[in-house]
Amino acid sequence: MLKDRILKVSMSEAERKGFRFTMGELAKQLGMSTKTLYGYYPSKEELLNEMIDLAIDEMKMKENEILHDSTLNLLEKLQKCLVLIPADFQFAQLQYLEELQRYYPKQWETVDQFIHEQWTGIFLLLDEGIAANKIRPINKEIFIEVYIGGLYRLMEHASKNRNMISLQDTMHEMVDILMFGILKGDVHEEN
């Protein structure tokens, strides 16, 4: 189906160049006229809406798979859920998220709302970990705010430095610090 092909090439363009690709460039990549492309997506914003909706749906589906994966232990599930990024649309670089925020505020609002509201699975894992005495009792709201604040701060930093930090690498590092801290395991025994 042509609409699926348009979405796939659009996601590839976003991964390669960020969200500032033009519809003309996209039409050229697809080997079609801009008029034909606009027949499927009357505006770039509508195309971005569908790209973002697909990415969010994929993340929800993957989170559900992780939560029900009996081969993973609790901490593995928590870590995998916290670093979830859609496979086909990894918002490959942090500055691309900031670009979306700056140039496409309505589309960013959808991503931002998802980032702030999609925590049910994480809360369940944290509660399970606390009940099993694998995670110390924490204020979950603060944990989430630290996570979101860290992500947004890293976006800002990436935008200013343009150092092409991989979002996936950054998320793994941030989640590792959030889950395991900065102290070595034997530090507590030294005191």
Side-chain angles (χ1 to χ4, degrees):
M1 187 171 168
L2 189 54
K3 202 167 186 176
D4 292 337
R5 186 167 164 259
I6 292 170
L7 278 170
K8 185 175 179 149
V9 173
S10 300
M11 290 179 179
S12 177
E13 279 297 286
E15 198 170 326
R16 199 169 60 84
K17 295 174 70 175
F19 294 101
R20 296 180 70 190
F21 65 86
T22 67
M23 293 295 269
E25 291 167 339
L26 182 59
K28 189 175 182 180
Q29 286 280 340
L30 288 159
M32 67 174 58
S33 71
T34 308
K35 183 179 178 182
T36 302
L37 179 58
Y38 278 114
Y40 284 91
Y41 293 97
S43 70
K44 183 176 175 184
E45 286 74 15
E46 286 188 37
L47 175 60
L48 290 176
N49 288 342
E50 193 154 336
M51 290 167 66
I52 290 165
D53 288 346
L54 277 174
I56 288 172
D57 288 346
E58 183 185 333
M59 285 192 286
K60 287 177 180 178
M61 185 183 71
K62 284 184 174 186
E63 181 185 56
N64 194 42
E65 287 172 9
I66 291 166
L67 292 172
H68 294 93
D69 186 341
S70 60
T71 66
L72 299 173
N73 69 39
L74 176 86
L75 295 180
E76 289 169 330
K77 288 179 183 183
L78 182 60
Q79 190 168 23
K80 285 185 177 290
C81 284
L82 287 169
V83 297
L84 249 180
I85 301 167
D88 296 332
F89 188 47
Q90 295 186 359
F91 299 102
Q93 310 303 332
L94 274 170
Q95 74 249 24
Y96 295 164
L97 279 176
E98 196 274 340
E99 198 175 90
L100 184 68
Q101 182 182 31
R102 180 179 297 178
Y103 298 107
Y104 300 99
K106 284 190 183 342
Q107 288 69 30
W108 169 253
E109 195 175 305
T110 301
V111 172
D112 183 59
Q113 183 177 353
F114 174 74
I115 290 170
H116 278 87
E117 293 177 358
Q118 192 61 31
W119 292 100
T120 307
I122 301 295
F123 280 173
L124 290 172
L125 291 171
L126 289 171
D127 287 341
E128 185 181 330
I130 291 167
N133 206 26
K134 293 183 181 207
I135 298 173
R136 67 182 179 83
I138 60 166
N139 182 317
K140 293 178 289 194
E141 297 296 330
I142 292 174
F143 180 84
I144 300 306
E145 288 303 318
V146 168
Y147 176 97
I148 293 170
L151 174 63
Y152 286 9
R153 182 68 180 111
L154 289 167
M155 274 172 37
E156 252 176 59
H157 179 72
S159 172
K160 290 175 187 163
N161 292 327
R162 295 282 179 203
N163 54 2
M164 300 302 273
I165 299 169
S166 154
L167 179 56
Q168 194 151 30
D169 290 344
T170 304
M171 295 301 293
H172 279 284
E173 183 70 24
M174 185 176 78
V175 168
D176 186 63
I177 293 168
L178 278 173
M179 286 183 65
F180 305 109
I182 61 171
L183 300 178
K184 286 189 164 189
D186 57 355
V187 170
H188 290 292
E189 288 136 24
E190 293 175 13
N191 292 334

